[in-house]
């Protein structure tokens, strides 16, 4: 299954993803293909909508201390729901769908997430710090929300200007 990453401002990224009710081979193929494209693109998180599948599916693989992304740390979340949240953390976020743009975003620091794994088993995860930021960032994707939507008006204007210039440069360089 060859997957391409959809980039801002593609309207596809604004779709609301639908709940998964079939935990079948096709879902497993999607999860495996998402992992490959995320790792090949140097990502640490990816939502299915970013590869044009409007399903409530996300994967996260936070590098450990020696910045190794081992598959043991891979988290696959299907139909995730945040049931508890508190605290605040500001982190410089990036997104494979908004290349070369990074901005400080404020999110909850401590969250509790209920979700299903690839075999439909229900799980609960308490997360804080970078893992919590990643989960919130990816769940936003399932609701058609991008991290740039959280920027203040002035920083959003700065982003739009920078992004347009970068896209023009990319076209010229092609
Ligand atoms: C040129 C370019 O676009 O660079 C990148 C930008 C973003 C990314 C990946 C972003 C990513 O995985 N975001 C997941 C959500 C998240 C954001 C902040 C903290 C936790 C989780 C990778 C890039 O590629 C390279 C080579 O670094
Ligand atoms: Co993203």
């Amino acid at each position: 299954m060859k997957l391409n990453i959809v980039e801002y401002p593609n309207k596809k990224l604004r779709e609301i993803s639908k709940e998964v009710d079939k935990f079948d081979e096709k879902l497993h193929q999607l999860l495996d293909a998402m992992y490959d494209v995320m790792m090949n693109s140097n990502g640490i998180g990816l939502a299915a909508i970013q590869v044009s599948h409007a399903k409530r599916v996300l994967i996260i693989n936070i590098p450990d201390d020696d910045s190794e992304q081992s598959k043991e740390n891979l988290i696959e979340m299907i139909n995730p729901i945040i049931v508890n949240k508190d605290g605040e953390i500001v982190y410089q976020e990036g997104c494979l769908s908004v290349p070369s743009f990074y901005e400080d975003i404020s999110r909850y620091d401590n969250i509790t997430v209920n979700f299903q794994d690839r075999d439909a088993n229900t799980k609960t995860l308490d997360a804080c710090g970078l893992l919590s930021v990643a989960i919130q960032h990816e769940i936003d994707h399932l609701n058609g929300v991008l991290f740039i939507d959280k920027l203040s008006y002035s920083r959003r204007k700065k982003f739009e200007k920078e992004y347009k210039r970068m896209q023009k440069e990319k076209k010229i360089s092609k």
Side-chain angles (χ1 to χ4, degrees):
M1 184 187 287
K2 179 83 189 82
L3 297 177
N4 294 315
I5 292 183
V6 176
E7 289 189 359
Y8 177 85
N10 191 316
K11 282 270 169 282
K12 183 76 183 169
L13 292 170
R14 298 308 188 174
E15 267 183 48
I16 308 293
S17 299
K18 297 186 182 36
E19 285 229 330
V20 170
D21 51 16
K22 279 200 287 306
F23 291 73
D24 55 9
E25 182 49 31
K26 284 206 72 64
L27 173 68
H28 295 181
Q29 283 168 4
L30 173 62
L31 285 161
D32 296 341
M34 283 174 67
Y35 178 76
D36 292 343
V37 77
M38 181 179 80
M39 297 305 278
N40 293 337
S41 316
N42 290 300
I44 59 174
L46 188 72
I49 192 68
Q50 293 180 269
V51 287
S52 304
H53 288 257
K55 293 181 192 296
R56 302 190 82 78
V57 174
L58 65 89
I59 61 171
I60 288 169
N61 196 349
I62 302 287
D64 44 32
D65 310 13
D66 51 2
S67 76
E68 279 301 304
Q69 274 180 299
S70 54
K71 208 157 182 182
E72 292 100 68
N73 295 345
L74 175 66
I75 298 174
E76 297 175 333
M77 288 189 169
I78 290 117
N79 304 327
I81 302 171
I82 294 176
V83 292
N84 237 329
K85 53 199 178 186
D86 73 23
E88 185 197 2
I89 179 172
V90 175
Y91 200 93
Q92 190 181 54
E93 300 190 13
C95 179
L96 289 171
S97 293
V98 187
S100 312
F101 192 78
Y102 312 91
E103 269 286 354
D104 280 349
I105 302 292
S106 165
R107 293 194 190 265
Y108 293 105
D109 187 8
N110 310 295
I111 60 172
T112 302
V113 198
N114 290 348
F115 62 98
Q116 288 169 274
D117 66 14
R118 61 166 61 202
D119 302 314
N121 303 308
T122 49
K123 306 254 171 165
T124 295
L125 176 74
D126 291 324
C128 63
L130 177 53
L131 177 57
S132 169
V133 167
I135 293 168
Q136 292 172 78
H137 175 113
E138 299 310 333
I139 289 180
D140 271 355
H141 274 299
L142 306 184
N143 300 318
V145 172
L146 297 174
F147 78 103
I148 51 169
D149 300 339
K150 298 174 175 309
L151 296 176
S152 66
Y153 180 80
S154 55
R155 284 200 302 168
R156 179 62 185 261
K157 287 290 140 214
K158 182 176 98 117
F159 159 75
E160 296 291 357
K161 222 167 66 234
E162 266 176 41
Y163 201 77
K164 273 201 192 73
R165 188 163 27 81
M166 219 184 320
Q167 295 300 80
K168 249 203 332 281
E169 272 157 26
K170 250 179 10 183
K171 283 208 180 44
I172 295 166
S173 59
K174 269 194 183 117

